[in-house]
Amino acid sequence: MEPSLLQEAIQLLQKDFDLPAVQSELTEEQLVLLFTPVLQHLLNRDFERLLQICYKIDLGENTFKHILHESEPNEMASDLARAIIARHKLKIEIRRRYSAG
C-alpha cells in the first residue's frame, strides 16, 4: 500500500528542512504546527536558505512574495508552512498521475 499523500509530503519536508522523524500519523494541521517553528527560525535567522529551499521545491515566487507581503507577521510562518505542504502534495499527485500508467 502506498503511503498517504500527507505522509509522503512529510517525508519530503523531512528531507528538505531536516525535520525530525515523525513516529505517528499526523493531520495536516498538526504538521503545520510542527513545521511552523522551523520556518519561523528560517525567516528570522537563515532567510537565504529558506529562499534556496523554496526555489528548489518550486514554490512559486508569487506565492512566496504574497505571503511575505500580505500575511500578518504572526501568521507568516504558518501561511508559508501551508503553502509548502500544498506544493509538496501537488508534486506528489502529479508524480503519481504520470507514473501510474
Side-chain angles (χ1 to χ4, degrees):
M1 183 176 123
E2 82 184 29
S4 75
L5 202 57
L6 190 58
Q7 289 306 116
E8 204 168 324
I10 290 169
Q11 291 170 359
L12 291 174
L13 290 169
Q14 288 170 326
K15 188 178 85 183
D16 292 333
F17 290 93
D18 301 322
L19 292 180
V22 177
Q23 300 304 322
S24 60
E25 293 272 329
L26 294 176
T27 65
E28 191 160 335
E29 201 50 41
Q30 289 170 323
L31 178 58
V32 168
L33 291 173
L34 179 75
F35 190 31
T36 295
V38 173
L39 291 172
Q40 189 66 58
H41 175 78
L42 290 171
L43 282 164
N44 294 336
R45 307 264 181 212
D46 202 351
F47 193 72
E48 268 308 306
R49 180 165 177 247
L50 178 61
L51 286 176
Q52 290 172 350
I53 294 169
C54 287
Y55 179 77
K56 181 184 130 195
I57 65 173
D58 200 23
L59 181 69
E61 184 178 343
N62 290 337
T63 301
F64 190 76
K65 284 182 177 178
H66 178 79
I67 291 169
L68 289 181
H69 296 293
E70 303 296 327
S71 292
E72 294 293 325
N74 60 336
E75 294 292 317
M76 193 178 298
S78 59
D79 290 348
L80 192 54
R82 286 182 183 86
I84 291 170
I85 292 165
R87 177 65 188 133
H88 274 321
K89 287 171 53 181
L90 179 63
K91 283 171 62 173
I92 295 162
E93 286 175 345
I94 291 169
R95 189 179 318 128
R96 286 179 180 180
R97 189 176 312 139
Y98 290 101
S99 68

